[in-house]
Amino acid sequence: MALPVRLTTTLGRHPDDLTEDDLQRAVDNQIPEGVDLDWKKDFYQGTDAGKKELAKDVSAMANTVGGLLVIGVDDGKKDHAHALAPFEPIPNRGEEWIRSVLANWIQPVVPNVGVRSLKSADEGKIYWILSVPPSTQMPHAVAAPGNDYNFRVHVRHGSTTRTLPESEVAQRYRDRFHAATTDTDHLHDIATAGVRHLTTFVTGEVPAGGSRASWYPLWISVTAVPTVRGNYPLTTREERDAALQRFTMLAYQAVTTNMKPEHPALVGRRQVRFEGFPTGQLHQDGSSFTARPLNVRKDEYDEDAPRKLYQRGFELELVTQVQVAAAWAAETGGAGDVMLSAALHCFDDGLTSLRVVTSEDDFQRGPAQPIPKMSAQTTANLQALVADKHEAVSAAYALVADLLADVSVHQPYVLTPEGDIRLERLNSEYRSELTGW
């Protein structure tokens, strides 16, 4: 989970990995509260007032920069970690109760709040640690269930929480809508720069003469932009080499290894570029553009017939590209949702239409369709994409379905909207390429 970098530096460990010893060190060092850190001695009451207080604390952090709520550390009314104060678990007020309160008392719901208990050495006692990521859906308002007309928006202000006046709430909504437009523009800019890079590689003359376009006329690309930008060092050659090596490791964790980039890393402003199969650009802020050639072949029964695009490989390519795009975004510290765009790129003027077939053995004489010129887009939760391969398949399904619809294909052949891959529809060659499935 992406949280303010200051927390890791201050606490000496990523907040997701904190132990009681770390909390004791915080007490010994009198680590102060701040805009992203709140020490609380007592657990929240089960009353409406207690639920409202919990919702207020979480929403305030989400409305600011994100942060950490640690329950079971007394601040001694001095706004710093003063003493450990673990407590006995309260019946019917565990993780499920916390999540229920957050779901019912905050509008819109703050996504991806981490909730975990931490056992104390004092037998039978615990702490609660709530990790609140920065949100792209703010402002989040607090209101009692069914009381939508009377809500309050809170933010962190130093070590305290304050309520926003109406004018600031209105500005927060304007900021949200502006951010959505900015993300769309950024996605377009990343895709445009990526296509230029891809075109230079594919159409550039090779030593044997001609260009790669004659061998690889059709490519599929995926552009990704996280709504909460990351920050990855990419200003020196050493940093770019290290980043590409890390990206290679991430590529090996996808459902296929087809996204393994070729080395060395190429220079780019706040980015690392690579050429080959795949070709792409990895940006410092977690955005990316990756492209792979598709399996397009002549009709073995009719030389003059339109070329065929094999659907199974096309679908699996999209899953892999979605996975590595999400992995890179998370690696840079990106968070929130990720905007995904998929597009086909043709580099052969003679290739104007395609006939999509489900498999290499399929004998299909349906009508050929023009190659789609419009991209397909979807948005998915970044953390879910990284944590669950089924979420990546679902996102790829949405992209594939839209692109296939443009060539008169009703639905994907091997991907399902629920996030499964129909293995029975893959031949042995495709099955041997799958990893971790």
Side-chain angles (χ1 to χ4, degrees):
M1 178 180 295
L3 289 170
V5 174
R6 190 192 78 85
L7 283 177
T8 300
T9 303
T10 301
L11 300 173
R13 189 190 301 269
H14 190 280
D16 289 349
D17 302 320
L18 287 176
T19 66
E20 188 175 39
D21 288 341
D22 297 320
L23 299 182
Q24 182 61 59
R25 277 192 292 272
V27 169
D28 296 339
N29 296 325
Q30 298 186 352
I31 291 179
E33 294 182 321
V35 68
D36 55 4
L37 179 61
D38 191 5
W39 306 113
K40 301 191 77 69
K41 177 183 177 182
D42 300 316
F43 193 64
Y44 298 92
Q45 297 294 316
T47 62
D48 280 358
K51 296 175 182 177
K52 183 178 180 180
E53 185 71 13
L54 170 58
K56 183 183 76 172
D57 289 342
V58 169
S59 65
M61 281 196 167
N63 286 335
T64 314
V65 295
L68 203 67
L69 283 167
V70 181
I71 308 165
V73 175
D74 186 4
D75 69 354
K77 297 183 179 180
K78 297 179 180 179
D79 295 334
H80 65 69
H82 177 71
L84 297 185
F87 49 88
E88 295 182 356
I90 303 173
N92 301 318
R93 272 195 278 154
E95 179 178 349
E96 185 176 347
W97 181 84
I98 293 173
R99 293 195 181 279
S100 176
V101 171
L102 300 183
N104 289 303
W105 283 73
I106 301 178
Q107 304 173 15
V109 174
V110 178
N112 306 316
V113 175
V115 179
R116 73 180 180 102
S117 61
L118 175 63
K119 290 183 178 180
S120 169
D122 191 348
E123 188 173 352
K125 295 186 176 182
I126 63 170
Y127 306 86
W128 281 105
I129 298 178
L130 277 60
S131 305
V132 185
S135 175
T136 58
Q137 299 175 30
M138 60 181 178
H140 297 273
V142 176
N147 196 14
D148 298 350
Y149 61 87
N150 184 19
F151 64 86
R152 296 288 183 270
V153 175
H154 308 277
V155 296
R156 292 286 291 175
H157 183 71
S159 61
T160 63
T161 298
R162 73 179 181 92
T163 303
L164 293 182
E166 182 180 13
S167 59
E168 290 191 56
V169 173
Q171 183 60 51
R172 293 292 180 115
Y173 280 113
R174 287 193 291 270
D175 290 344
R176 183 206 287 183
F177 300 140
H178 176 71
T181 301
T182 301
D183 289 340
T184 301
D185 292 343
H186 190 47
L187 185 75
H188 177 266
D189 292 342
I190 296 295
T192 299
V195 171
R196 283 200 301 266
H197 176 54
L198 174 64
T199 301
T200 299
F201 172 71
V202 177
T203 61
E205 188 171 333
V206 296
S211 69
R212 299 175 185 87
S214 59
W215 292 95
Y216 308 104
L218 189 67
W219 292 62
I220 179 70
S221 73
V222 168
T223 306
V225 169
T227 53
V228 178
R229 308 286 196 267
N231 188 12
Y232 201 95
L234 293 174
T235 55
T236 68
R237 180 170 184 170
E238 290 74 16
E239 289 171 345
R240 293 187 183 99
D241 287 342
L244 191 58
Q245 183 60 40
R246 178 59 182 164
F247 182 76
T248 301
M249 296 176 63
L250 296 173
Y252 273 119
Q253 298 171 18
V255 296
T256 75
T257 58
N258 290 344
M259 286 302 298
K260 175 187 174 184
E262 296 181 14
H263 292 244
L266 305 178
V267 67
R269 179 186 286 189
R270 296 184 181 180
Q271 64 180 270
V272 55
R273 300 181 297 130
F274 50 92
E275 294 179 343
F277 313 99
T279 288
Q281 298 176 327
L282 309 173
H283 294 262
Q284 175 178 297
D285 67 0
S287 304
S288 64
F289 172 93
T290 59
R292 281 274 309 173
L294 289 173
N295 187 7
V296 177
R297 296 183 183 177
K298 292 183 177 180
D299 191 315
E300 59 269 34
Y301 303 104
D302 184 355
E303 280 287 325
D304 297 325
R307 279 187 266 191
K308 299 187 294 184
L309 169 64
Y310 295 116
Q311 189 172 338
R312 294 187 299 190
F314 170 57
E315 295 180 25
L316 292 179
E317 291 288 2
L318 256 296
V319 176
T320 303
Q321 285 182 264
V322 166
Q323 285 184 296
V324 297
W328 173 253
E331 184 73 13
T332 67
D337 290 336
V338 60
M339 299 177 64
L340 297 164
S341 175
L344 293 170
H345 309 281
C346 183
F347 297 97
D348 183 349
D349 293 337
L351 180 60
T352 58
S353 60
L354 288 170
R355 177 180 289 127
V356 178
V357 296
T358 56
S359 72
E360 294 78 354
D361 303 322
D362 193 13
F363 184 79
Q364 180 175 326
R365 292 287 178 176
Q369 297 292 333
I371 298 173
K373 296 185 181 298
M374 292 184 61
S375 62
Q377 295 187 10
T378 191
T379 300
N381 178 264
L382 178 56
Q383 185 181 35
L385 287 180
V386 174
D388 188 349
K389 59 191 176 185
H390 295 280
E391 293 290 339
V393 173
S394 293
Y397 178 94
L399 297 172
V400 169
D402 283 349
L403 291 176
L404 289 177
D406 289 343
V407 289
S408 299
V409 177
H410 286 290
Q411 62 191 31
Y413 182 63
V414 297
L415 307 184
T416 73
E418 295 78 23
D420 291 318
I421 296 177
R422 294 188 173 99
L423 297 178
E424 73 278 4
R425 294 186 176 182
L426 299 178
N427 61 22
S428 58
E429 181 179 353
Y430 279 119
R431 290 186 188 185
S432 66
E433 289 184 358
L434 291 180
T435 59
W437 192 270

